[in-house]
């Protein structure tokens, strides 16, 4: 299939280890993929949906014990524990290879080994990188063919190079006790066993494009971030790009595909999606920071997605999409999930494969849901009505602003701007968020999630913070401005205060105006905040006092937050940039 010696050597090794009956190289041709879809439908791995209403769409159900990323079974196997750092599980690479080989050995017997050459980023782009994943799952192949660029062309651009990431996925028995998602950053290698769910097995995504790539970026002077990328076009036709980091299932896809409020659309504002989850960023010839989306599709959270919350995402799922763990509406042979619409299907199968009883549906009880809270759609990016012209170009888009955010019911104001790049890095490092269903474990617990990278940083996070500071020094006055947002503030009754979704455009406009020195702000201890009159409230039913309540800096609460951060940062020891300690002292002094 290729003359690349390093590829052939590795394929020989994994073949010996896994003992497949057959080897199939994924060529990227539609005919081959269509054959695989047919095979998967015949075996029950995929269910073909209504060809008229959802052409080219399929439903897949995972095992009930395999529905989210498993952070406690995810390891960074660098040579030393210090290099994985205090936020990652670590295991000695030799020991882990042995353990994983023992688990995977012979597990492809009677099965086919699919070899997927894939490119993260447009094939041949100077910002792109190549990987090869072997898997025994057709579901993985078909998802990878949506989420990345796959096939022979990738091998062509790779040529004889050894700069590619090895990805081994083995479904084994989907045994949660023997499930491991392991990254070996120093070997460009990923091994994932005993899972068949999204982020655990689509190895181009979190494992490569974040964990391995963040390490590569550190070594090579670029950045791999858990960020959406969106372009905002003003009425003059000028486009500005922002990148924004939020933890999983905090609305990155929604922000990336936002539809501006009517009064802004009427003026001629438009939003273009470049990416919804991951950004790779490098300093360009002109000294600015350029970003590409390394992915080729969206692996979005289905529940809550509807025509109002995210018209563009829903439109993206109308053809050639794979749905995972949503409900099947038997009357129409289409899919349904909580929040799609108000018409609960009367004749449906839930995500577990059982007949669903709509009359027993209880919002407070997740066991009664038709779709799993972390059910997903895998949709091709080209389907998105607002996909950017730049998406497929590979040169990247220049980033004007970087936005951090989390899901915080209290404390963090709607928006604020950091005082400078270094302070912005501190703001990113300070992100906390309530946990979501995207990872196994408790939901709704506030945890520190620096830069939304906690589960995805492939090396010591103290070094990662320093890398951010170093990038800022290189960027100098060309550095993007850094902001923090919080769409999730709640009042005392637990209602969301800010309408969010399309109305977030009002905040983005303030952010872009700040980048151009056009908008006012007040300086506070934590950064620059808009005055209520700086946020355009045209056509919005929210009064000034309410807005004020989410644009205030509560001194006691922020002092406590700084004390909490001081404690948290201790875990990074002497790898913590000393600037952070100085900033905390400064902020506390200014809060007095
Ligand atoms: O499950 S994935 O890791 O692919 C998605 C997410 O958690 O953001
Ligand atoms: Mn994500």
């Amino acid at each position: 299939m290729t003359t690349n010696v390093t590829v052939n050597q590795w394929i020989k090794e994994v073949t010996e280890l896994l003992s497949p009956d057959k080897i199939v190289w994924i060529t990227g041709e539609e005919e081959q993929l269509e054959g695989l879809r047919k095979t998967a439908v015949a075996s029950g791995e995929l269910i073909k949906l209504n060809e008229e209403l959802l052409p080219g769409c399929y439903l897949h159900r995972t095992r009930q014990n395999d529905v989210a990323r498993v952070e406690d079974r995810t390891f960074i196997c660098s040579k030393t524990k210090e290099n994985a750092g205090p936020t990652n599980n670590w295991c000695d690479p030799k020991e882990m290879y042995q353990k994983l080989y023992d688990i995977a050995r012979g597990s492809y017997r009677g099965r086919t080994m699919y070899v997927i050459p894939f490119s993260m980023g447009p094939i041949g782009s100077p910002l792109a990188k190549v990987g090869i994943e072997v898997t025994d799952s057709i579901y993985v192949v078909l998802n990878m063919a949506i989420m990345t660029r796959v096939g022979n062309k990738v091998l062509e651009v790779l040529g004889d190079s050894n700069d590619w990431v090895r990805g081994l996925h083995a479904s084994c028995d989907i045994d949660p006790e023997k499930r491991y998602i392991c990254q070996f950053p120093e070997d460009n290698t990923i091994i994932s066993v005993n899972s068949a769910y999204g982020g655990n097995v689509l190895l181009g995504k979190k494992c490569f494009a974040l964990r391995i790539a963040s390490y590569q970026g550190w070594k090579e002077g670029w950045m791999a971030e858990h960020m959406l990328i969106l372009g905002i076009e003003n009425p003059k036709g000028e486009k500005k790009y922002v990148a924004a980091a939020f933890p999983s299932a905090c609305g990155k896809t929604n922000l990336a595909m936002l539809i501006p409020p009517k009064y802004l659309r009427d003026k001629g504002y438009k939003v273009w999606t470049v990416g919804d989850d991951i950004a790779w960023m490098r300093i360009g010839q002109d000294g600015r920071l350029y970003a590409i989306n390394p992915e080729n599709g969206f692996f979005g959270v289905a529940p809550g997605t509807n025509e109002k919350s995210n018209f563009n995402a829903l439109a993206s799922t109308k053809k050639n999409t794979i749905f995972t763990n949503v409900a099947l509406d038997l009357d129409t042979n289409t899919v349904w999930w909580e929040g799609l619409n108000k018409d609960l299907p009367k004749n449906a199968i839930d995500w577990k494969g059982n007949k669903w009883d709509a009359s027993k549906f209880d919002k407070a009880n997740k066991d009664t849901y038709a779709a799993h809270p972390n059910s997903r759609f895998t949709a091709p990016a080209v389907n998105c009505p607002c996909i950017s012209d730049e998406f497929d170009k590979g040169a990247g888009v220049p980033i004007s602003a970087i936005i951090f955010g989390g899901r915080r019911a209290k404390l963090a104001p709607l928006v604020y701007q950091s005082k400078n790049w270094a302070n912005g890095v501190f703001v990113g490092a300070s992100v906390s968020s309530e946990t979501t269903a995207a990872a196994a474990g408790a939901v709704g617990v506030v945890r520190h999630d620096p830069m939304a990278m906690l589960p995805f940083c492939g090396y010591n996070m103290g070094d990662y913070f320093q890398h951010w500071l170093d990038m800022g020094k290189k960027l100098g006055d060309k550095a993007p401005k850094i902001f923090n947002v919080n769409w999730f503030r709640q009042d005392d009754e637990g209602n969301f205060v800010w309408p969010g979704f399309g109305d977030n455009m009002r905040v983005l406009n303030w952010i872009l105006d700040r980048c151009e020195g056009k908008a006012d702000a007040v300086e506070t201890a934590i950064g620059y905040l808009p005055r209520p009159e700086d946020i355009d409230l045209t056509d919005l039913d929210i009064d000034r006092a309410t807005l004020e309540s989410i644009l205030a800096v509560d001194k006691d609460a922020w002092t406590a937050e700084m004390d909490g951060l001081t404690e948290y940062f201790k875990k990074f020891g002497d790898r913590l940039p000393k600037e952070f300690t100085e900033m905390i002292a400064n902020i506390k002094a200014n809060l007095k």
Side-chain angles (χ1 to χ4, degrees):
M1 273 301 137
T2 167
T3 53
N4 185 309
V5 181
T6 56
V7 173
N8 287 330
Q9 178 58 33
W10 184 73
I11 293 296
K12 187 166 167 269
E13 279 166 32
V14 293
T15 306
E16 276 163 17
L17 175 75
L18 301 163
S19 310
D21 274 19
K22 216 171 110 189
I23 301 179
V24 171
W25 287 73
I26 299 305
T27 61
E29 285 151 341
E30 175 52 28
E31 209 186 318
Q32 183 188 44
L33 295 172
E34 187 54 26
L36 290 173
R37 289 177 202 119
K38 293 221 162 82
T39 308
V41 169
S43 71
E45 193 176 347
L46 291 182
I47 295 169
K48 172 99 184 86
L49 297 167
N50 186 319
E51 182 60 23
E52 251 157 64
L53 299 173
L54 293 171
C57 292
Y58 296 83
L59 169 66
H60 171 79
R61 298 189 195 106
T62 66
R63 299 274 181 89
Q64 289 179 39
N65 71 28
D66 191 29
V67 293
R69 284 182 291 101
V70 279
E71 295 180 1
D72 59 328
R73 309 202 64 94
T74 300
F75 287 77
I76 300 296
C77 306
S78 39
K79 290 202 179 82
T80 67
K81 188 169 171 25
E82 288 65 46
N83 283 351
T87 57
N88 283 312
N89 299 314
W90 175 83
C91 180
D92 175 67
K94 266 207 204 103
E95 199 182 304
M96 192 51 107
Y97 276 126
Q98 203 51 56
K99 185 189 240 165
L100 297 171
Y101 289 163
D102 287 347
I103 292 172
R105 185 169 294 113
S107 71
Y108 281 24
R109 214 161 264 137
R111 304 173 68 84
T112 300
M113 175 165 96
Y114 299 97
V115 183
I116 317 167
F118 64 95
S119 174
M120 298 313 291
I123 297 176
S125 154
L127 285 90
K129 289 213 176 247
V130 167
I132 298 183
E133 174 166 357
V134 298
T135 179
D136 53 349
S137 155
I138 295 181
Y139 170 77
V140 168
V141 173
L142 295 174
N143 273 273
M144 285 293 284
I146 297 173
M147 294 305 296
T148 73
R149 285 106 172 151
V150 301
N152 294 340
K153 284 200 207 100
V154 177
L155 291 174
E156 273 164 38
V157 300
L158 180 63
D160 293 330
S161 169
N162 188 24
D163 183 9
W164 56 280
V165 168
R166 292 114 175 100
L168 188 167
H169 167 243
S171 307
C172 303
D173 305 316
I174 320 283
D175 177 354
E177 302 297 319
K178 292 190 187 149
R179 185 169 297 154
Y180 291 97
I181 319 299
C182 298
Q183 285 68 203
F184 302 82
E186 287 130 345
D187 304 341
N188 272 348
T189 296
I190 304 158
I191 302 181
S192 164
V193 294
N194 277 299
S195 174
Y197 165 78
N200 298 331
V201 297
L202 308 178
L203 301 185
K205 196 172 178 59
K206 308 297 188 181
C207 303
F208 178 174
L210 289 176
R211 297 194 191 102
I212 297 281
S214 61
Y215 174 84
Q216 293 176 327
W218 177 44
K219 294 286 161 183
E220 299 167 8
W222 52 284
M223 308 167 91
E225 299 298 332
H226 192 204
M227 290 179 178
L228 66 93
I229 310 164
L230 101 175
I232 295 165
E233 181 176 341
N234 71 16
K236 284 187 253 162
E238 297 160 344
K239 289 178 190 157
K240 296 260 152 58
Y241 297 89
V242 306
F246 307 113
S248 299
C250 283
K252 282 201 299 301
T253 307
N254 290 344
L255 188 64
M257 299 179 188
L258 156 161
I259 295 179
K262 185 170 181 308
Y263 83 98
L264 287 173
R265 290 202 308 273
D266 289 348
K267 283 189 192 167
Y269 280 92
K270 292 186 184 121
V271 167
W272 301 104
T273 307
V274 181
D276 80 326
D277 194 37
I278 299 175
W280 283 2
M281 304 193 285
R282 260 179 211 272
I283 300 177
Q285 302 267 300
D286 62 359
R288 297 185 66 190
L289 191 62
Y290 282 78
I292 62 161
N293 170 10
E295 300 190 282
N296 201 26
F298 310 116
F299 188 64
V301 180
T305 304
N306 59 54
E307 250 169 54
K308 251 187 91 197
S309 69
N310 196 337
F311 176 88
N312 290 313
L314 193 63
S316 307
T317 67
K318 293 295 177 191
K319 59 179 184 205
N320 304 331
T321 291
I322 299 173
F323 297 92
T324 302
N325 291 340
V326 300
L328 176 65
D329 183 337
L330 291 172
D331 289 337
T332 52
N333 196 27
T334 60
V335 286
W336 191 85
W337 51 77
E338 279 69 21
L340 174 64
N341 51 43
K342 297 235 152 64
D343 321 319
L344 308 194
K346 283 174 202 71
N347 187 18
I349 304 287
D350 68 15
W351 72 273
K352 295 174 186 158
N354 302 323
K355 188 99 188 67
W356 187 61
D357 188 348
S359 70
K360 296 222 176 83
F361 175 68
D362 168 12
K363 208 170 171 219
N365 180 1
K366 296 230 150 65
D367 285 340
T368 68
Y369 284 26
H372 187 274
N374 191 38
S375 54
R376 299 270 172 165
F377 53 80
T378 317
V382 291
N383 284 1
C384 181
C386 59
I387 194 76
S388 162
D389 288 346
E390 302 294 326
F391 164 73
D392 225 4
K393 285 198 182 141
V397 294
I399 298 298
S400 298
I402 288 175
I403 303 172
F404 294 112
R407 192 182 271 275
R408 292 294 296 267
K410 300 282 171 208
L411 191 83
L414 178 63
V415 58
Y416 66 99
Q417 181 184 1
S418 66
K419 300 205 174 167
N420 50 50
W421 177 274
N423 176 235
V425 176
F426 168 78
V427 168
S430 312
V431 167
S432 293
S433 191
E434 290 151 26
T435 50
T436 67
V443 169
V445 184
V446 176
R447 73 165 184 184
H448 288 281
D449 190 350
M451 279 85 169
M453 282 287 278
L454 182 69
F456 307 122
C457 183
Y459 60 107
N460 190 307
M461 229 172 186
D463 295 339
Y464 168 80
F465 297 149
Q466 188 59 49
H467 179 46
W468 264 84
L469 293 172
D470 294 343
M471 288 297 291
K473 286 183 198 122
K474 286 189 205 152
L475 285 158
D477 60 5
K478 303 236 169 79
K481 304 278 185 282
I482 302 181
F483 298 79
N484 193 85
V485 299
N486 178 18
W487 317 132
F488 300 97
R489 278 288 288 268
Q490 292 176 18
D491 62 19
D492 292 337
E493 279 80 52
N495 305 305
F496 289 112
V497 177
W498 179 248
F501 301 106
D503 289 311
N504 292 336
M505 180 76 182
R506 300 164 194 270
V507 175
L508 293 179
N509 269 349
W510 180 78
I511 287 175
L512 287 182
D513 284 348
R514 284 297 293 172
C515 293
E516 288 173 40
K518 290 200 302 212
D520 267 328
V522 272
E523 186 168 358
T524 73
I526 62 167
Y528 300 103
L529 266 80
R531 300 164 306 171
E533 59 268 36
D534 297 324
I535 303 286
D536 189 340
L537 296 181
T538 306
D539 295 343
L540 197 62
D541 187 19
I542 178 169
D543 58 48
R544 196 189 149 101
T546 309
L547 187 58
E548 257 166 17
S549 75
I550 53 172
L551 286 177
V553 178
D554 179 326
K555 296 196 168 174
D556 294 339
W558 273 98
T559 304
E561 180 80 0
M562 289 303 124
D563 292 339
L565 270 171
T566 305
E567 262 320 291
Y568 177 66
F569 282 153
K570 277 186 187 155
K571 67 160 73 183
F572 299 103
D574 61 4
R575 301 231 190 177
L576 186 80
K578 61 178 181 335
E579 285 91 330
F580 284 12
T581 320
E582 289 159 17
M583 270 178 228
I584 292 181
N586 252 326
I587 292 170
K588 280 182 72 171
N590 289 334
L591 281 165
K592 287 220 175 87

